[in-house]
Each structure stands twice: as C-alpha cells, then as structure tokens.
C-alpha cells in the first residue's frame, strides 16, 4: 500500500523566518523550499513560486504596446512584495513552473532598483528588495533560479498601503 507522507510546514516557516530576519539570499533558502528539483507543494505567507519576472521596459527595444503589459506584470510583483512586507517578509523563487512546481530555470537579470521605485510610487513606502541568481543541481544538470528577498516590515512602521490603482492588465482587469 502506498502511503502518503505529509511534511509539516511549521519547521520550514520557523527556519525561513530566521533567514528572512537575517536577510539571507543564498542556497539555504532554496534547500528549504525545493525538494527533488521541484518547489514544495505548498505556498505560504513567507514564500511563493514564479516562472518568470517582468523585464524593464526599454522604449528602444520594445514597442509602445508592450509597456502596458510590462507595467501590469510589475504591478503583480509589487502586490506580492507589499503583501510579504506587511506580514512576515518573504521570498519569491523564480524559475519554478506553476502547474507542476518543476524547476525550469531563470537566468535573466532583474532590476530591483526599478521594482523598489515602483513600490514607493504605489505605496509611498520604501521597501528594499534584493535579487540574486543561484544555481541548483538536479539529476546532474544545473539550473539557475532567481531569489527575490522581501524584508519584513519593522514593528514600529505602519503597514504599506496602496495609494493608487494598479495599471490595467491586457485582459482588462
């Protein structure tokens, strides 16, 4: 008989809380959140998985119509960052396919300066995120993954609140 074994998330949350408090952005985070080349089944108030991050808009390389799409994608990431900041802090692991949590890799550069400016623009609160590309080995192959760190709101700080609506995404939402 095949028996399902469930792993408690409590030890992971406790360990991750310490890493968040210490602003750790290295493979220790991935060791907690990946198992056998996949993101763990559960998402939490301290981590989330994404396949990609938006690239900064470049008017010389992108047509004008792409800007709205990029802004909408950034708005989703800003929302995630503000949510993590207001609760416990956290991590976005980039390069994990959502449908099956398989590591697919992510090697693009990501501009946290742009992200941090967008957060300030949306909330009037400075949240200093940090991004690093890390490499994991899965069955003899190396995969680059992105790790975006979002700090926890200081106890004496008020929660960040959105001051304006997010840009409309291509589907009109």
């Amino acid at each position: 008989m095949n028996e399902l074994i469930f792993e408690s998330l409590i030890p992971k949350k406790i360990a991750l809380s310490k890493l968040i408090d210490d602003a750790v952005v290295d493979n220790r985070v991935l060791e907690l959140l990946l198992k056998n080349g996949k993101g763990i089944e559960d998402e939490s108030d301290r981590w989330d998985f994404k396949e990609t991050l938006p690239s900064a808009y470049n008017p010389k390389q992108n047509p004008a119509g792409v800007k709205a799409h990029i802004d909408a994608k950034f708005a989703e990431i800003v929302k995630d960052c503000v949510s993590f900041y207001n609760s416990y802090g956290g991590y976005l692991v980039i390069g994990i396919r959502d449908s099956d949590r398989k590591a697919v890799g992510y090697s693009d550069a990501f501009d946290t300066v742009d992200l941090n400016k967008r957060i300030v623009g949306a909330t009037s609160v400075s949240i200093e995120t940090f991004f690093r590309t890390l490499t994991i080995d899965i069955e003899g192959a190396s995969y680059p993954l992105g790790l975006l760190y979002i700090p926890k709101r200081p106890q004496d700080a008020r929660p960040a609140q959105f001051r304006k609506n997010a840009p409309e995404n291509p589907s009109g939402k």
Side-chain angles (χ1 to χ4, degrees), residues 71-87 115-127 150 158-167:
D71 287 344
K73 290 293 186 185
F74 261 108
E76 292 176 26
I77 302 303
V78 167
K79 177 186 61 90
D80 290 340
C81 290
V82 170
S83 178
F84 280 126
Y85 171 80
N86 281 338
S87 57
L115 173 63
N116 295 341
K117 285 179 184 177
R118 289 171 185 264
I119 293 170
V120 169
T123 66
S124 300
V125 175
S126 177
I127 301 172
I150 304 100
R158 297 186 66 127
Q161 298 179 17
F162 288 98
R163 305 289 182 205
K164 61 183 181 177
N165 290 334

Side-chain angles (χ1 to χ4, degrees), residues 1-161:
M1 178 170 143
N2 257 346
E3 195 174 311
L4 289 177
I5 299 173
F6 293 97
E7 186 177 357
S8 173
L9 291 180
I10 301 300
K12 287 186 187 302
K13 283 185 172 188
I14 291 169
L16 222 52
S17 291
K18 174 83 172 110
L19 296 176
I20 292 166
D21 288 345
D22 293 342
V24 172
V25 186
D26 64 25
N27 280 52
R28 290 176 283 176
V29 176
L30 297 180
E31 288 168 7
L32 285 169
L33 299 178
L34 301 175
K35 188 173 186 177
N36 300 324
K38 289 181 155 187
I40 60 175
E41 289 300 316
D42 299 293
E43 289 182 354
S44 169
D45 50 11
R46 291 175 182 85
W47 68 85
D48 195 2
F49 301 106
K50 304 278 183 202
E51 191 165 343
T52 64
L53 288 173
S55 300
Y57 174 72
N58 182 339
K60 294 177 182 176
Q61 294 178 338
N62 303 115
V66 173
K67 185 178 184 323
H69 179 73
I70 290 171
D71 287 344
K73 290 293 186 185
F74 261 108
E76 292 176 26
I77 302 303
V78 167
K79 177 186 61 90
D80 290 340
C81 290
V82 170
S83 178
F84 280 126
Y85 171 80
N86 281 338
S87 57
Y88 303 102
Y91 296 97
L92 293 180
V93 180
I94 315 303
I96 305 293
R97 190 170 41 222
D98 195 44
S99 61
D100 60 2
R101 300 287 162 103
K102 184 176 180 195
V104 294
Y106 181 82
S107 59
D108 294 349
F110 183 70
D111 185 2
T112 56
V113 172
D114 184 27
L115 173 63
N116 295 341
K117 285 179 184 177
R118 289 171 185 264
I119 293 170
V120 169
T123 66
S124 300
V125 175
S126 177
I127 301 172
E128 295 299 318
T129 64
F130 185 78
F131 179 82
R132 180 171 285 153
T133 302
L134 304 168
T135 302
I136 61 165
D137 291 323
I138 303 169
E139 298 175 358
S142 292
Y143 291 83
L145 296 178
L147 187 61
L148 180 65
Y149 165 78
I150 304 100
K152 177 172 61 173
R153 175 178 54 89
Q155 278 188 320
D156 59 345
R158 297 186 66 127
Q161 298 179 17

